[in-house]
Amino acid sequence: MSDNLNYMEEYEDIEFNHVNRQKKTRKKKNYFLRFMIFLAVLVGIFVFLNSSLFDVNNIEVEGNRYYSDSQVINMSGEVKGGNLFWGVGSGNIKSSLKEDPYFTSVKVKRKLPDTVIIQVEERIQIAAVSYGDRYIVVDSEGTILRKSNVDPKVTVITGLTINKMDEGEPLGVEEKNTLSSTLNMLSVMLKGDIYFKKVDVSRVIYKAYIYDTLVVKGTSKQMVKTIESGELQKVVNTFIKNKMKRGTLNLGDNGYMSFSPTF
């Protein structure tokens, strides 16, 4: 017990030192200053992008075949001098060009620092359907691309009865199946590297004119088959090589062909 008392006395004699603790001061965050810096950066970027460095000086066209570059640019309404970022009316360019039936797709791209690229996809004119003294130019699906009073330098189709001819719309004819099979035949013709000046489809047996007085006669299926096999091209090339410009080549089934010098 005496030992415990002694220990308590010693414990009471210990002098405790008071430790002063400094309070941590928090730095005040200057949100207003940060906002002003951020705003200044944005203004700087805006001024930089709005500088003459990004004025449109070049307009390029890609994918066009029928129309020239200058024609596409004029039709688009795009002009040089505007700002590349907000001075180019992509929507206006697309809507302006798509008013023309030749264009199926229009994309507008920007290339730093000063170039606008207009990318287009065009319908390919494959034939012209005769209508009196006029021509209705169509693509492989029968969509009307334009009307012309002069020879459009594509295969002319005769023998169809037209009842609708609005540009940008499918050609309306009474002989729908005939038109479809003829356009298919002409698509095969282009792929087969052969050219018919004119095709008369007024009867089941077509007349495909190589020259005005040199004609191939057969059904659309017979013509397609002989073109795909390459046999018709061989015969026609022989005619051209020998300068034969008059006669009739009759097609039959199973690749049969016969030639008559009479027209």
Side-chain angles (χ1 to χ4, degrees):
M1 184 70 180
S2 59
D3 291 338
N4 290 337
L5 291 173
N6 292 333
Y7 176 77
M8 291 297 296
E9 291 176 356
E10 292 177 359
Y11 182 78
E12 291 177 354
D13 292 338
I14 295 176
E15 183 178 349
F16 291 95
N17 295 324
H18 178 73
V19 179
N20 292 324
R21 294 185 178 182
Q22 295 182 351
K23 293 183 180 180
K24 292 183 178 180
T25 58
R26 295 182 180 180
K27 295 182 178 179
K28 294 182 179 180
K29 295 181 179 179
N30 196 329
Y31 291 107
F32 179 74
L33 178 60
R34 291 186 179 186
F35 172 76
M36 293 303 295
I37 294 174
F38 175 73
L39 186 61
V41 171
L42 288 181
V43 171
I45 293 174
F46 175 80
V47 172
F48 175 66
L49 296 180
N50 201 43
S51 67
S52 60
L53 176 66
F54 299 105
D55 287 348
V56 176
N57 292 315
N58 302 296
I59 303 175
E60 299 177 0
V61 181
E62 298 178 352
N64 52 316
R65 298 178 61 178
Y66 176 72
Y67 287 114
S68 66
D69 290 3
S70 59
Q71 286 176 318
V72 174
I73 293 171
N74 289 335
M75 294 166 64
S76 73
E78 178 63 14
V79 295
K80 297 180 181 179
N83 184 270
L84 183 66
F85 298 101
W86 40 78
V88 177
S90 300
N92 293 334
I93 293 175
K94 293 177 182 179
S95 60
S96 296
L97 290 178
K98 283 193 172 182
E99 289 180 358
D100 191 290
Y102 273 89
F103 299 110
T104 61
S105 174
V106 179
K107 296 180 180 178
V108 180
K109 295 186 176 181
R110 297 166 174 82
K111 184 170 70 174
L112 294 174
D114 60 358
T115 302
V116 172
I117 303 174
I118 302 175
Q119 295 179 330
V120 299
E121 289 184 13
E122 291 180 342
R123 292 184 174 92
I124 299 174
Q125 56 184 28
I126 192 175
V129 179
S130 177
Y131 183 70
D133 57 353
R134 303 181 69 188
Y135 302 94
I136 313 301
V137 182
V138 299
D139 69 353
S140 60
E141 296 179 350
T143 301
I144 298 175
L145 304 180
R146 61 188 173 96
K147 302 170 186 176
S148 176
N149 293 322
V150 297
D151 187 351
K153 305 303 179 183
V154 291
T155 302
V156 175
I157 302 174
T158 63
L160 293 173
T161 307
I162 299 175
N163 52 36
K164 183 180 179 182
M165 51 179 182
D166 298 326
E167 290 187 9
E169 299 293 331
L171 176 66
V173 298
E174 294 183 6
E175 308 85 352
K176 293 182 180 180
N177 292 335
T178 300
L179 175 61
S180 178
S181 61
T182 303
L183 293 176
N184 176 65
M185 184 192 74
L186 294 181
S187 296
V188 174
M189 176 197 74
L190 293 179
K191 294 177 182 177
D193 194 25
I194 188 172
Y195 178 74
F196 296 134
K197 182 178 180 180
K198 181 178 71 173
V199 179
D200 182 357
V201 299
S202 58
R203 298 182 180 180
V204 175
I205 302 299
Y206 290 5
K207 292 181 180 179
Y209 290 78
I210 300 170
Y211 298 115
D212 290 337
T213 54
L214 182 60
V215 63
V216 179
K217 295 176 67 175
T219 65
S220 62
K221 290 182 179 180
Q222 289 169 342
M223 290 193 182
V224 167
K225 188 173 182 179
T226 54
I227 293 173
E228 289 179 336
S229 67
E231 294 301 317
L232 185 57
Q233 291 91 316
K234 292 179 183 179
V235 176
V236 171
N237 288 335
T238 300
F239 290 161
I240 296 174
K241 184 178 180 181
N242 295 327
K243 298 181 179 180
M244 296 174 60
K245 294 188 176 181
R246 185 180 183 85
T248 301
L249 180 65
N250 294 287
L251 305 181
D253 294 330
N254 301 319
Y256 174 80
M257 289 184 281
S258 64
F259 177 73
S260 172
T262 59
F263 173 73

